[in-house]
Amino acid sequence: MRSDTPGGGRRLDEVLERTIRDIDIPPRPAIIDRICHEMRQDQPNFKYIGEQISADVSLAAALIKTVNSPYFGFRRRCRSVHEALLMLGLDATSRAIAAISLREAFPGSAHYERFWQASAQIAALSGWLAQLVRKSGLRADDAYTYGLFRDCGIVILLRRFPDYMATLDRANHEAERAFTDIEVEVLPTNHSVVGSLLAQNWWLPEEICLAIRYHHDRDAIEQFESGLPAASRYLVAASQTAEHILQQVTGGSHTEEWHKLGSSSQRLLGLDDSALGDLYDRGAALIASNS
Amino acid sequence: MHDTGSDLDPITGFLNRIAGLSAASRAVARAESTGDGLAVLWLDIDRFRQINQSFGHVGGDRVIAEVAKRLRQTLSADCLLLRMGSDEFVALMPSLQRQTATEVCQRLLAAIESPLAIDDLLMHPSVSMGIAVHAAGEDPLSLLERADRAMIEAKRRGGKRLIVSGDEPVAGRLGVQLARDELAIEADLHKALESGCLALEYQPLVALDGRIEAVEALMRCDLPGRRLMPGKFIPVAEKTGLIVRLGEWSLLQGAQFAARLRDEGVATRVAINVSRAQLNSRSFTPALQAALICANVAPALIELEFTESLFLDLSEIVQGNLRSARLAGVGMAIDDFGYGYSCLANLKDLPANKLKLDRSFIKVLPADRRAYAVVKAMAMLGRELGMTVVAEGVETAEQQAAVEGAAVDAVQGYFHARPMPEEAMLAWLKEKSTHAL
């Protein structure tokens, strides 16, 4: 897909633009902008935001369902959008809505059904793990949101570059080098950079954006000098462990990521081999109930 | 009276702030009477906010305890140690003159930097230090304040260093206040990045024939109840590295606006400012490409603006990033030209296709004939190098006439339009294009 001659590159871009016009990142849901607008006020109007959310019946239902789900980590059950808002606060509500809207925001989402299913399972397992390991700064709702957003760059790149599937396959089976190193051999960018730009555009918190950016970078996760916040490291570790459990339990497609990042993830979360072993059965039950 | 221990800070075992101040008074009085000399070291842990954020307060306390231990081990037994604030320490070092005190502190800097494990993560703590040596007749508060000010100067220069009081520029209380303001701005920027407080405004660059050459994106930060001005927050963002995230945010935002203008039938290049820190990072090219892909916009509709300060240090990474942007077909403009570090050799080698003359030359037109001569010469130079030459900061009809006389290609400034929000810019461009038909 890449053309290194300036003239040729430009022509190719023009062709691309004519043929696949609607291929760009999904716009941020308008309700997130309204919430942000309210957050900038001295006295945010919760009632107004509640009405805005409730005006979209399916969004309201999804919000209540998500907040009450076991992987979101809230003990108290909420029955209305208003209760959800009070429990979560505006910023966490905005994140929950981002998580709910992400998949719908991609046109032609059905093409990537298996991808989104796997993301949803990883997100649910991540939220559950976050509650089990109890690390300071690691929130279950963030782990859930992060699990959904972590790989959304893949969908964007798949829609733009038809050959990307083959690259993904090679990256998934690369045992030594970083996943993203394989991507940049054939693409001008990689899915973690693309995903972090989208997350930032949707006003997700810094810890989540950085965790998306560095989720294949072992040095960034392991070394303090990378400056990566601990919460981001925990998010990466929780989702890697969640993905590993999913692959163990379902026997589905295996990747090499656990080989590369597993020991760091276990160390960060404080899970030794036997503790991890115990999680397989419990995770299987959760996956079954979530399917 | 017995020491009940209530004067001691429980984490470090040092004297707390209140007890510390009276100890400092006694030390000064003793130095005055014996004439032995006294040096005061003020020490502050670098990136402590980040440490607390990363490891929580328990982790933060462990770093405090460890730094305290290293202080105790490195300094001689007659030094009195105080904990002044959450991450601030003072050492009163009797019988020390400037030279010895400096040597001791350099040893201390090295000792503190040895690695420390928290939560299985290895970190190298670093500190900023300021020393002041007691001058005859000086009161204890002034002595402490000089050490504090030297420490703040060390912090201002990036931390991990020692400044001796008297060596720092005379900043006084104002300088101290500035450093504290910067910390507040940094916190505001973090908040802005996750609560939708950032926006881009756009200002057109108008060619002499009336065509729109480009629109420049300018960052705005509106916090609850107040607007943070770019002149204030950009320097802080540059110092703290936050500029990289802000810059990536603008790349995508600006590229999306370029796509929108194209879709609305008024395709116009969008110029986006990039900082030296961004261009000096290996992640710049992937981020630029990701923004182009995400916005689905042709590279030719994007222009990067950077200032001459880039010339100071054209590292291999910077050159590589500029090369690959150029190769992709992204336009490049040198901003604020002629004001700072202009170097003609670099101008010759940079892959820029636009030269924006600094507003300081324009604002004195048409009265200043020498400025006019410089503008005219720079316009000719730019043109000979195949660049589009733009005059920045044109505010009046007289200035417009002058830059037309100097034969620049395009003009930017209040005379044509002020920066405006996205919707207004779109409407303005649409109106221009109907008039042109």
Side-chain angles (χ1 to χ4, degrees):
Chain A
M1 287 308 295
R2 192 167 58 163
S3 164
D4 280 330
T5 56
R10 201 166 306 167
R11 270 199 302 282
L12 186 62
D13 266 311
E14 281 159 14
V15 173
L16 273 173
E17 227 144 283
R18 272 197 297 277
T19 49
I20 26 180
R21 289 198 41 93
D22 62 340
I23 299 187
D24 42 16
I25 57 162
R28 179 171 64 238
I31 184 74
I32 291 182
D33 282 342
R34 284 190 203 122
I35 296 176
C36 284
H37 178 80
E38 231 27 69
M39 284 197 301
R40 290 200 294 274
Q41 309 306 314
D42 289 336
Q43 301 251 300
N45 186 340
F46 277 64
K47 186 159 172 285
Y48 167 75
I49 290 299
E51 285 162 8
Q52 293 286 313
I53 296 171
S54 304
D56 181 339
V57 179
S58 61
L59 175 65
L63 178 64
I64 294 170
K65 186 174 165 217
T66 305
V67 174
N68 284 333
S69 67
Y71 40 81
F72 222 59
F74 287 93
R75 289 276 156 76
R76 247 186 69 204
R77 289 187 67 77
C78 74
R79 283 155 303 184
S80 68
V81 167
H82 190 68
E83 276 184 21
L85 266 172
L86 290 180
M87 245 165 74
L88 265 62
L90 287 176
D91 48 354
T93 303
S94 170
R95 277 172 255 164
I97 290 177
I100 293 163
S101 318
L102 181 67
R103 177 179 177 171
E104 290 302 313
F106 279 93
S109 249
H111 289 309
Y112 309 105
E113 191 59 33
R114 272 181 53 211
F115 171 86
W116 290 116
Q117 263 171 11
S119 285
Q121 295 282 23
I122 291 169
L125 284 167
S126 301
W128 167 73
L129 272 173
Q131 295 168 69
L132 284 181
V133 297
R134 293 174 166 276
K135 286 287 172 185
S136 90
L138 177 64
R139 291 171 52 141
D141 55 336
D142 280 353
Y144 174 75
T145 304
Y146 170 68
L148 287 173
F149 273 84
R150 189 189 70 178
D151 287 323
C152 69
I154 287 179
V155 183
I156 295 169
L157 290 173
L158 274 175
R159 291 159 77 217
R160 183 68 182 260
F161 301 102
D163 297 341
Y164 181 55
M165 192 60 104
T167 310
L168 269 185
D169 196 50
R170 276 204 306 128
N172 273 326
H173 291 98
E174 169 62 46
E176 297 302 326
R177 287 189 300 154
F179 190 100
T180 45
D181 286 354
I182 307 301
E183 293 179 279
V184 295
E185 280 177 2
V186 285
L187 291 178
T189 187
N190 67 64
H191 80 283
S192 55
V193 174
V194 171
S196 68
L197 284 194
L198 173 80
Q200 199 162 295
N201 186 255
W202 282 37
W203 304 124
L204 288 186
E206 185 174 11
E207 291 79 12
I208 292 185
C209 298
L210 290 172
I212 296 172
R213 181 68 165 257
Y214 295 103
H215 74 274
H216 290 292
D217 188 336
R218 187 165 49 194
D219 286 349
I221 296 161
E222 289 219 323
Q223 291 169 7
F224 178 81
E225 273 59 38
S226 71
L228 202 60
S232 306
R233 299 169 204 255
Y234 294 142
L235 287 172
V236 173
S239 77
Q240 285 299 345
T241 309
E243 186 170 23
H244 170 66
I245 293 173
L246 183 69
Q247 291 180 354
Q248 287 293 311
V249 170
T250 61
S253 64
H254 275 259
T255 61
E256 292 292 330
E257 291 314 292
W258 189 251
H259 169 68
K260 288 181 264 187
L261 299 166
S263 57
S264 309
S265 300
Q266 280 183 258
R267 204 166 42 244
L268 276 164
L269 299 182
L271 292 172
D272 58 21
D273 286 344
S274 87
L276 181 65
D278 290 343
L279 292 180
Y280 295 143
D281 283 343
R282 296 170 65 188
L286 190 110
I287 292 164
S289 70
N290 197 40
S291 290
Chain B
M1 278 225 309
H2 293 286
D3 181 3
T4 58
S6 63
D7 287 346
L8 298 183
D9 164 57
I11 293 173
T12 57
F14 294 177
L15 285 178
N16 64 28
R17 189 184 179 94
I18 307 284
L21 289 175
S22 55
S25 297
R26 287 196 298 276
V28 166
R30 196 159 45 240
E32 287 282 356
S33 66
T34 61
D36 272 351
L38 169 72
V40 171
L41 164 71
W42 197 298
L43 178 150
D44 183 289
I45 300 173
D46 294 334
R47 298 189 296 182
F48 193 66
R49 179 171 169 271
Q50 187 194 338
I51 293 169
N52 260 337
Q53 241 175 15
S54 294
F55 302 106
H57 291 287
V58 178
D61 284 350
R62 290 215 19 228
V63 176
I64 295 277
E66 186 61 33
V67 168
K69 189 171 127 205
R70 291 173 188 185
L71 264 168
R72 169 64 68 211
Q73 285 169 347
T74 314
L75 296 177
S76 64
D78 59 349
C79 287
L80 195 57
L81 293 160
L82 330 174
R83 184 174 181 199
M84 299 301 281
S86 78
D87 59 337
E88 289 183 297
F89 302 102
V90 160
L92 302 169
M93 307 188 289
S95 323
L96 277 187
Q97 298 302 331
R98 177 177 166 140
Q99 192 51 40
T100 8
T102 313
E103 283 164 17
V104 168
C105 292
Q106 296 291 6
R107 243 191 359 255
L108 191 56
L109 263 178
I112 285 175
E113 277 172 27
S114 58
L116 157 68
I118 315 176
D119 281 6
D120 294 319
L121 286 170
L122 220 52
M123 65 165 292
H124 297 84
S126 78
V127 290
S128 300
M129 303 201 281
I131 324 179
V133 177
H134 179 248
E138 187 180 22
D139 69 75
L141 276 180
S142 143
L143 176 62
L144 282 168
E145 202 177 292
R146 283 199 297 123
D148 185 20
R149 237 181 285 158
M151 181 280 289
I152 287 185
E153 177 62 17
K155 189 134 283 201
R156 208 181 59 79
R157 296 190 193 172
K160 210 176 178 172
R161 70 189 66 218
L162 167 71
I163 298 283
V164 180
S165 172
D167 290 354
E168 84 273 27
V170 187
R173 288 195 172 279
L174 188 64
V176 174
Q177 188 54 44
L178 275 179
R180 306 218 191 287
D181 286 351
E182 284 181 357
L183 284 177
I185 291 173
E186 186 188 351
D188 283 342
L189 286 175
H190 278 285
K191 182 94 193 99
L193 265 168
E194 52 190 61
S195 56
C197 295
L198 292 176
L200 292 181
E201 285 192 345
Y202 298 89
Q203 188 178 34
L205 283 64
V206 184
L208 293 191
D209 63 6
R211 275 182 317 103
I212 308 305
E213 167 62 34
V215 294
E216 182 186 355
L218 300 158
M219 204 182 295
R220 298 288 180 252
C221 180
D222 285 314
L223 295 160
R226 68 205 156 97
R227 167 169 278 195
L228 208 55
M229 300 310 287
K232 281 228 152 157
F233 74 78
I234 298 285
V236 176
E238 275 172 348
K239 216 181 278 179
T240 55
L242 258 175
I243 194 76
V244 175
R245 293 196 64 223
L246 292 175
E248 287 182 0
W249 177 87
S250 338
L251 277 176
L252 177 57
Q253 200 71 14
Q256 284 183 310
F257 188 54
R260 182 156 180 229
L261 293 178
R262 176 200 64 209
D263 293 345
E264 298 271 0
V266 283
T268 311
R269 264 190 295 274
V270 173
I272 302 166
N273 287 284
V274 290
S275 73
R276 183 151 136 226
Q278 268 177 287
L279 283 169
N280 208 3
S281 147
R282 289 190 197 282
S283 68
F284 178 76
T285 295
L288 170 65
Q289 290 289 344
L292 293 171
I293 289 167
C294 286
N296 189 26
V297 72
L301 283 176
I302 300 300
E303 200 164 82
L304 304 177
E305 281 197 12
F306 42 82
T307 61
E308 306 169 312
S309 66
L310 205 61
F311 294 170
L312 278 178
D313 165 33
L314 268 181
S315 70
E316 213 158 292
I317 300 176
V318 172
Q319 293 187 43
N321 281 328
L322 291 178
R323 239 191 337 267
S324 68
R326 191 82 201 104
L327 212 56
V330 171
M332 281 183 214
I334 301 175
D335 205 4
D336 305 335
F337 184 73
Y339 180 67
Y341 313 91
S342 315
C343 166
L344 295 180
N346 279 322
L347 186 62
K348 168 175 74 66
D349 297 332
L350 272 181
N353 53 345
K354 187 173 282 178
L355 196 60
K356 299 181 75 181
L357 308 183
D358 189 71
R359 59 184 66 243
S360 59
F361 297 105
I362 313 299
K363 85 175 175 213
V364 292
L365 295 182
D368 190 332
R369 299 307 294 173
R370 296 176 70 87
Y372 177 77
V374 173
V375 171
K376 196 167 177 179
M378 288 196 297
M380 193 193 297
L381 173 66
R383 212 168 32 250
E384 287 294 321
L385 288 168
M387 299 163 108
T388 303
V389 179
V390 181
E392 294 182 276
V394 172
E395 297 187 355
T396 65
E398 292 74 27
Q399 287 171 349
Q400 171 77 21
V403 296
E404 280 181 18
V408 303
D409 300 296
V411 167
Q412 179 178 7
Y414 288 4
F415 178 65
H416 288 281
R418 288 176 174 264
M420 49 194 128
E422 191 167 318
E423 293 305 321
M425 189 72 248
L426 176 63
W428 191 92
L429 287 171
K430 280 186 166 173
E431 168 154 347
K432 281 272 167 189
S433 76
T434 29
H435 277 295
L437 285 177

